[in-house]
């Protein structure tokens, strides 16, 4: 297996003997080795290039050069695409007018990513579901487009035109080329991210990431006896590395025993009762997720080890290092709604989709967000089948929650029954929706849905047609109108009370 994938690895062949011994593709071995090297460099970066010991310029230079080195080690000359994509986008930011700069930058950056994905899939190696150079480009695309929108918000809009989150993220000056490259290609996030805001990254480089602006949920600790200028990430890094080890062990143990492809095997489909097919699909997806848990948790630990990711304090006074965390494993595995699962899976990508698409799209933001997510992920047909199915699942789940859930909130026992049922349905719905994402090809994906008789598609259609549901924007507008009405009533009540008090004083006089 390792020798077959060597040709598709464009990076260093130094670890080829290890790849053959452990029987894993060389590109995956290089990726893990690169991340472990980044972890060591992160500890060194925090201890010896601390903001108190060196200038932001040196920190930017070192972070960028180490990032380029890791890119060359893992992807060889393909890593030049990172520079080309970043350079084209920066040119657009500099030379295009501020009014439309963010739109042009979005089109250029996403277009270049899609062009690279088409070339990789349909020209070089269709079906190579492994570590490849377009993975880091996906994260860089998120960073560049977020940066463009935040510059547009900061330089062309007044604070009154921005939401609180947009106001916090708004950038008030154009980044220098070094700052821009450091943000996009630093060694902590070049291989696996996660995406972070430009302001948060600059605060980390400048050493101001521990100031109160990051401690909105600090529960008063920053003003109390527990206050400290810089909490240590050691405990969180160790905890996340342990999670990585467990996730990797589970994945390597189960991934070959429970392949998702087995669910479309003709003998399996014809000889296995439907309820056992459902259970098998759930277990196969359960065995697949630890791979993502390993990659994203390791990336989070690397950033934390460098001192990046502080997010205030917990109620017990312990520091939180989840500013750029990409998942919450327990919330994923015990999610009781489709939305809850998505909110805790690939968190930073969900925030990116929300900030650049959902909040800014005037027509059907839900469908537009799912479509953008499919385009960003790649050009395999299975991706589009997954996200089109996700639109139907989201609408149906929203309708059920809006119409049926209130009937189960009358007591704790009813609520418990509702949570158990919705947990089971959520896990089945997620597995059903994501199957084409793993199968990739349209033929295999449709074969899987035919084996299930498209049952959940039809059920979603029935739920959406039967159960009415208001859009989130309508609900938000009604809630805002209700708050305004309550405020007016309160003001009227206060006014009447004042009048009554005045009348009583007049009578007393």
């Amino acid at each position: 297996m390792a020798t077959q994938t060597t040709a598709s690895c464009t990076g260093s062949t130094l670890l080829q003997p290890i790849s053959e011994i452990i029987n894993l593709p060389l590109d995956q071995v290089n990726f893990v080795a690169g991340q472990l090297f980044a972890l060591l460099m992160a500890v060194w970066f925090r201890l010896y290039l601390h903001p108190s010991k060196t200038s932001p310029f040196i920190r930017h230079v070192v972070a960028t050069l180490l990032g380029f080195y890791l890119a060359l080690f893992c992807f060889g000359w393909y890593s030049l695409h990172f520079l080309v994509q970043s350079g084209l986008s920066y040119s657009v930011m500099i030379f295009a007018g501020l009014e439309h700069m963010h739109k042009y930058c979005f089109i250029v950056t996403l277009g270049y990513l899609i062009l690279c994905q088409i070339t990789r899939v349909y020209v070089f190696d269709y079906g190579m579901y492994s570590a490849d150079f377009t993975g880091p480009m996906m994260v860089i695309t998120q960073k560049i487009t977020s940066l463009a929108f935040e510059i547009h918000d900061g330089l062309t809009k007044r604070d009154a035109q921005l939401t609180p989150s947009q106001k916090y993220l708004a950038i008030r000056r154009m980044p220098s080329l070094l700052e821009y490259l450091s943000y996009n290609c630093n060694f902590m996030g070049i291989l696996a991210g996660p995406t972070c805001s430009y302001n948060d990254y600059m605060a980390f480089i400048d050493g101001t990431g521990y100031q109160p602006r990051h401690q909105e949920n600090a529960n008063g600790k920053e003003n109390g006896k527990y206050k400290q200028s810089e909490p240590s990430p050691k405990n969180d890094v160790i905890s996340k590395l342990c999670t990585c080890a467990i996730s990797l062990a589970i994945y390597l143990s189960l991934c070959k025993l429970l392949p998702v492809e087995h669910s479309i095997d003709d003998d399996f489909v014809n000889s296995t009762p439907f309820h056992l097919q459902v259970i098998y699909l759930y277990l196969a997806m359960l065995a697949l997720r630890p791979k993502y848990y390993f990659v994203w948790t390791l990336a989070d630990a690397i950033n934390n080890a460098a001192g990046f990711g502080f997010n205030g304090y917990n109620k017990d006074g312990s520091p939180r290092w989840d500013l750029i965390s990409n998942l919450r494993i327990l919330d994923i595995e015990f999610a009781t709604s489709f939305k809850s699962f998505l909110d805790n899976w690939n968190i930073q990508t969900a925030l990116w989709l929300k900030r650049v698409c959902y909040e800014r799209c005037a027509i059907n933001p839900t469908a537009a967000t799912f479509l953008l997510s499919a385009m960003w992920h790649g050009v395999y047909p299975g991706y589009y089948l997954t996200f089109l199915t996700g639109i139907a699942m989201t609408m149906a789940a929203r309708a059920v929650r809006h119409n049926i859930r209130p009937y189960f909130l009358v007591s704790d026992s009813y609520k418990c029954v509702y949570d158990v049922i919705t947990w089971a349905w959520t896990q089945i719905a997620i597995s059903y929706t994501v199957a084409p994402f793993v199968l990739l090809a349209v033929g295999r994906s449709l074969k899987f849905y035919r084996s299930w008789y498209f049952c959940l598609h039809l059920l979603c259609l029935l739920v959406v047609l039967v159960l009415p549901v208001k859009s989130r924007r309508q609900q938000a507008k009604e809630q805002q109108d209700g708050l305004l009405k309550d405020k007016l009533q309160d003001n009227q009540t206060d006014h009447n009370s004042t009048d009554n008090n005045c009348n009583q004083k007049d009578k007393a006089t």
Side-chain angles (χ1 to χ4, degrees):
M1 179 177 179
T3 56
Q4 293 176 353
T5 58
T6 302
S8 64
C9 178
T10 58
S12 172
T13 58
L14 179 66
L15 302 179
Q16 177 64 36
I18 297 177
S19 172
E20 294 175 351
I21 292 173
I22 62 179
N23 196 31
L24 281 177
L26 179 57
D27 56 352
Q28 294 183 8
V29 174
N30 283 349
F31 172 83
V32 174
Q35 287 293 73
L36 294 178
F37 174 77
L39 180 65
L40 295 177
M41 289 297 98
V43 176
W44 172 82
F45 191 82
R46 180 172 178 269
L47 294 177
Y48 295 98
L49 291 183
H50 192 273
S52 63
K53 299 179 181 180
T54 189
S55 66
F57 175 81
I58 297 298
R59 285 167 62 84
H60 278 306
V61 170
V62 173
T64 306
L65 292 179
L66 285 174
F68 286 148
Y69 170 75
L70 287 176
L72 286 170
F73 178 81
C74 290
F75 309 110
W77 69 268
Y78 279 105
S79 56
L80 292 176
H81 286 292
F82 308 161
L83 286 177
V84 174
Q85 185 188 34
S86 299
L88 288 174
S89 302
Y90 192 72
S91 299
V92 173
M93 292 181 188
I94 295 297
F95 296 109
L98 288 175
E99 189 64 30
H100 300 290
M101 172 268 293
H102 58 302
K103 299 177 184 178
Y104 299 149
C105 193
F106 182 88
I107 294 172
V108 169
T109 307
L110 186 63
Y112 192 86
L113 171 66
I114 294 174
L115 180 63
C116 289
Q117 289 171 333
I118 292 173
T119 303
R120 181 185 70 83
V121 171
Y122 294 107
V123 176
F124 293 109
D125 194 354
Y126 186 92
M128 184 181 67
Y129 195 64
S130 184
D132 70 278
F133 73 97
T134 59
M137 287 184 67
M138 294 166 68
V139 178
I140 293 174
T141 298
Q142 290 181 344
K143 291 183 176 181
I144 293 173
T145 51
S146 297
L147 181 68
F149 277 93
E150 289 160 7
I151 292 173
H152 174 75
D153 289 342
L155 298 181
T156 66
K157 293 183 179 181
R158 298 186 299 272
D159 287 348
Q161 297 175 284
L162 303 175
T163 65
S165 63
Q166 290 172 350
K167 190 184 303 182
Y168 171 78
L169 297 170
I171 299 171
R172 307 298 178 179
R173 68 172 181 86
M174 187 67 69
S176 69
L177 181 60
L178 176 61
E179 293 169 340
Y180 174 79
L181 291 176
S182 175
Y183 171 60
N184 286 341
C185 303
N186 64 79
F187 74 96
M188 301 173 295
I190 185 66
L191 298 184
T195 300
C196 61
S197 78
Y198 177 80
N199 285 340
D200 287 335
Y201 180 74
M202 291 302 295
F204 155 71
I205 290 293
D206 295 338
T208 59
Y210 305 100
Q211 293 181 359
R213 75 186 194 95
H214 287 283
Q215 302 173 8
E216 296 175 2
N217 301 319
N219 301 296
K221 178 189 169 183
E222 66 277 10
N223 295 321
K225 63 181 180 180
Y226 296 104
K227 180 180 178 181
Q228 54 182 338
S229 59
E230 185 175 341
S232 172
K234 181 179 69 174
N235 292 336
D236 286 77
V237 171
I238 293 174
S239 174
K240 290 174 182 178
L241 291 179
C242 291
T243 301
C244 289
I246 295 171
S247 299
L248 184 61
I250 293 174
Y251 172 70
L252 294 177
S253 301
L254 299 179
C255 66
K256 294 182 180 180
L257 296 177
L258 296 167
V260 178
E261 292 77 8
H262 188 60
S263 62
I264 59 173
D265 181 74
D266 292 333
D267 294 335
F268 174 79
V269 173
N270 295 329
S271 62
T272 307
F274 184 71
H275 68 280
L276 293 182
Q277 294 184 40
V278 174
I279 294 174
Y280 178 85
L281 180 66
Y282 166 69
L283 293 177
M285 291 298 176
L286 188 65
L288 189 63
R289 287 198 285 267
K291 176 175 70 173
Y292 299 94
Y293 296 164
F294 166 76
V295 172
W296 289 336
T297 305
L298 179 57
D300 195 19
I302 291 170
N303 282 272
N304 292 166
F308 187 29
F310 177 67
N311 197 27
Y313 295 91
N314 295 308
K315 292 181 179 179
D316 60 358
S318 60
R320 291 170 50 192
W321 288 89
D322 60 353
L323 179 66
I324 55 174
S325 295
N326 229 353
L327 52 82
R328 303 182 188 96
I329 296 177
L330 293 180
D331 291 335
I332 289 171
E333 299 300 341
F334 294 100
T336 57
S337 71
F338 201 83
K339 180 181 182 301
S340 176
F341 188 101
L342 297 180
D343 286 345
N344 294 289
W345 173 270
N346 206 351
I347 297 171
Q348 302 306 318
T349 295
L351 287 174
W352 171 70
L353 291 168
K354 176 184 176 183
R355 291 166 181 169
V356 304
C357 183
Y358 188 85
E359 292 180 343
R360 302 175 190 267
C361 184
I363 302 174
N364 203 339
T366 299
T369 302
F370 274 101
L371 179 60
L372 173 59
S373 183
M375 295 172 63
W376 173 79
H377 273 91
V379 293
Y380 287 112
Y383 295 167
Y384 288 83
L385 286 175
T386 285
F387 289 105
L388 289 174
T389 303
I391 296 173
M393 290 290 180
T394 300
M395 295 174 64
R398 191 179 296 170
V400 169
R401 185 176 181 84
H402 179 75
N403 291 276
I404 296 178
R405 185 172 181 269
Y407 294 104
F408 287 85
L409 300 180
V410 294
S411 67
D412 292 339
S413 58
Y414 277 41
K415 178 66 165 53
C416 183
V417 171
Y418 177 84
D419 288 342
V420 171
I421 295 173
T422 52
W423 171 83
W425 273 107
T426 297
Q427 298 302 322
I428 294 172
I430 288 291
S431 302
Y432 179 88
T433 302
V434 175
F437 194 95
V438 180
L439 298 173
L440 298 178
V442 65
R444 297 198 299 174
S445 301
L446 292 179
K447 182 179 180 181
F448 167 77
Y449 280 145
R450 281 197 299 270
S451 71
W452 281 54
Y453 306 102
F454 292 90
C455 58
L456 293 192
H457 284 92
L458 297 175
L459 181 61
C460 288
L461 179 61
L462 180 63
V463 168
V464 171
L465 292 176
V466 172
L467 298 179
V469 63
K470 299 175 182 177
S471 69
R472 293 191 177 276
R473 293 192 175 185
Q474 287 178 328
Q475 295 179 27
K477 186 176 184 303
E478 291 182 0
Q479 185 178 9
Q480 186 176 3
D481 293 341
L483 292 174
L484 182 61
K485 184 178 179 181
D486 292 341
K487 185 176 180 180
L488 291 175
Q489 289 178 350
D490 292 340
N491 291 338
Q492 185 66 31
T493 302
D494 293 340
H495 180 69
N496 293 337
S497 299
T498 302
D499 290 343
N500 291 336
N501 291 335
C502 292
N503 292 335
Q504 292 176 1
K505 290 181 179 180
D506 292 339
K507 290 179 181 179
T509 303

